[in-house]
Amino acid sequence: MRIDVVTIFPEYLAPLDVSLIGKAATAGILDIHVHELRTWTHDRHNTVDDSPCGGGPGMVMKPEPWWEALTALVPPGSEDGARLIVPTPSGRPFTQRVAEDLATASHLVFAPARYEGIDRRFIEAAAERMPVEELSIGDYVLAGGEVAVLVMVEAVGRLLPGVLGNAESAKDDSFGHSSQGGMAGLLEGPVYTKPANWDGREVPPVLLSGNHAVIARWRRDEALRRTAQTRPDLIEALDPAALDKKDRAQ
Ligand SMILES: N#Cc1c(-c2ccc3cc[nH]c3c2)n[nH]c1N
């Protein structure tokens, strides 16, 4: 997968060189390029913004630099498999299912804005050339979209074959929100490691029993309990067919 990120703060994307995503890039699984939006400006001041039409606070990002950048990164005729991702607080929620969908793309172009956002006409023009996703990472307001790009690239990148080792395959995601595997749609229950007694607190004996069926049942019960407590909406959203008799007894 090729990933292009266009931004006025390229240094904000430095974490993409680190850890899981950095290793995936080194391995050639991800081909990540971060670009300075001002590359596609032509005036003395490398202007990327202007005052909002109709008045109002702040500044709006001009469509021209974004359009030139997009055209350079996705030349006409090469749109097949390319998707433009625009982080925005007014976007569709970015969820695990959205991450799974984006992981099927061959080319993602991220357009993290600043100021009051990008001139709407850029989004409309881009949508005539390729799928455009306006996505939000949560119900709070950031100062720009770069943080959201880091979140989305990690959530999508970890789903690509070869990025996670076998021991930590995304298929077994148990942090909830995965739509795959036995814990699909549930939040993860508590996890423990050695020592068996720490601070006078014991690891639940079931986890030391060696009985994998009983352990699996206990973990699912704990996931159901935590999900019901923390995110009852996820319980409501579960496919009833995904719940067995013992689940319903919870
Ligand atoms: N995604 C996302 C966002 C943002 C966001 C995204 C882009 C810009 C550009 C200026 N301010 C922004 C805030 N705030 N909260 C979210 N969940």
Side-chain angles (χ1 to χ4, degrees):
M1 177 187 288
R2 177 172 173 123
I3 292 179
D4 287 292
V5 185
V6 181
T7 171
I8 60 171
F9 292 123
E11 63 277 19
Y12 219 113
L13 283 300
L16 294 180
D17 297 334
V18 177
S19 185
L20 188 78
I21 299 303
K23 290 191 177 77
T26 303
I29 300 170
L30 283 172
D31 178 20
I32 301 177
H33 303 265
V34 178
H35 311 271
E36 165 60 81
L37 176 65
R38 298 183 200 276
T39 304
W40 289 283
T41 60
H42 309 290
D43 63 302
R44 281 181 58 221
H45 302 292
N46 300 116
T47 307
V48 295
D49 63 309
D50 204 335
S51 55
C53 289
M59 300 292 275
V60 174
M61 300 194 89
K62 297 168 62 61
E64 300 95 330
W66 285 103
W67 185 251
E68 282 194 36
L70 185 63
T71 304
L73 299 173
V74 186
S78 68
E79 295 87 353
D80 193 25
R83 299 173 73 166
L84 176 66
I85 314 299
V86 182
T88 169
S90 55
R92 175 165 77 106
F94 176 70
T95 64
Q96 187 68 19
R97 281 191 186 284
V98 173
E100 290 164 0
D101 177 42
L102 294 184
T104 65
S106 55
H107 187 190
L108 296 179
V109 181
F110 288 90
R114 284 273 158 172
Y115 310 110
E116 302 304 313
I118 303 173
D119 186 303
R120 190 69 199 163
R121 291 170 292 178
F122 164 68
I123 310 290
E124 291 169 357
E128 291 175 7
R129 289 191 53 209
M130 68 192 78
V132 177
E133 300 284 348
E134 295 182 88
L135 297 173
S136 169
I137 60 168
D139 292 339
Y140 38 78
V141 182
L142 302 169
E146 285 80 6
V147 168
V149 172
L150 292 175
V151 167
M152 294 181 196
V153 170
E154 177 153 326
V156 172
R158 66 184 291 279
L159 296 174
L160 301 180
V163 174
L164 291 179
N166 292 334
E168 45 188 352
S169 162
K171 285 187 176 48
D172 302 326
D173 264 352
S174 55
F175 268 96
H177 306 296
S178 167
S179 59
Q180 304 161 9
M183 293 291 193
L186 296 178
L187 302 181
E188 178 172 9
V191 290
Y192 300 84
T193 185
K194 294 185 283 295
N197 183 308
W198 172 80
D199 192 38
R201 302 169 193 275
E202 299 285 343
V203 167
V206 64
L207 295 179
L208 307 175
S209 68
N211 184 328
H212 296 296
V214 170
I215 289 169
R217 181 69 254 169
W218 181 86
R219 282 178 170 157
R220 185 161 174 83
D221 290 348
E222 287 298 306
L224 284 162
R225 189 176 57 75
R226 177 179 272 189
T227 307
Q229 270 178 350
T230 310
R231 288 289 305 274
D233 58 302
L234 294 180
I235 295 286
E236 294 304 315
L238 283 176
D239 176 358
L243 296 173
D244 63 30
K245 201 164 17 172
K246 288 184 178 175
D247 292 339
R248 293 193 185 89
Q250 284 303 312

